[in-house]
Amino acid sequence: MCIRDRKYSYGNRYQNAHFDPLVQTIWTLLRRVRVNSEKNQEPTTLAKDVHLYSLTENNKICLKCIDFYEKLIMPGYDFYSVGMILQHLCYNNYSLSQEVASLILVG
């Protein structure tokens, strides 16, 4: 059985889990996070006129885990929020950009 075909048991054991509100919350929170940039440029996805925060090491590990993105690119998720998360985190981050690109190209 492929990991992508795994069914989650909530409501009905044959129903796929959809975490759109969680993905949208992650995107909303990430807009207030400072991204480490090699060129000292801020991405255009940052929220304006708010206090910016830094990610902890555990947050960085979770958000850079390619398994997280394997789940998010499955059909049924809010592709706008997923795209904005990727745009924000991949800004001047070649290694994560390359991993996500290879994941998308492989399908």
Side-chain angles (χ1 to χ4, degrees):
M1 181 162 127
C2 180
I3 194 166
R4 295 172 207 252
D5 297 331
R6 183 170 181 230
K7 306 287 185 201
Y8 297 89
S9 60
Y10 83 99
N12 181 338
R13 62 184 278 202
Y14 299 106
Q15 179 70 32
N16 280 326
H18 294 284
F19 298 107
D20 284 340
L22 180 60
V23 173
Q24 292 164 358
T25 302
I26 291 170
W27 164 232
T28 302
L29 293 173
L30 276 178
R31 290 192 65 211
R32 287 149 179 83
V33 170
R34 190 176 309 279
V35 176
N36 294 336
S37 170
E38 298 169 359
K39 301 175 184 175
N40 293 327
Q41 298 172 338
E42 297 292 345
T44 58
T45 54
L46 278 178
K48 305 294 183 221
D49 301 323
V50 296
H51 178 74
L52 298 177
Y53 299 94
S54 297
L55 292 174
T56 65
E57 287 304 313
N58 284 339
N59 296 140
K60 290 177 186 177
I61 291 169
C62 292
L63 288 171
K64 292 181 180 178
C65 178
I66 203 67
D67 295 334
F68 175 66
Y69 299 105
E70 281 183 7
K71 302 271 189 273
L72 290 184
I73 64 170
M74 290 175 24
Y77 283 98
D78 179 13
F79 291 116
Y80 176 78
S81 296
V82 173
M84 296 308 282
I85 290 171
L86 291 173
Q87 179 183 351
H88 190 76
L89 291 178
C90 290
Y91 184 78
N92 283 337
N93 186 340
Y94 181 75
S95 62
L96 183 61
S97 299
Q98 187 176 16
E99 287 180 26
V100 169
S102 66
L103 174 69
I104 293 171
L105 290 174
V106 170

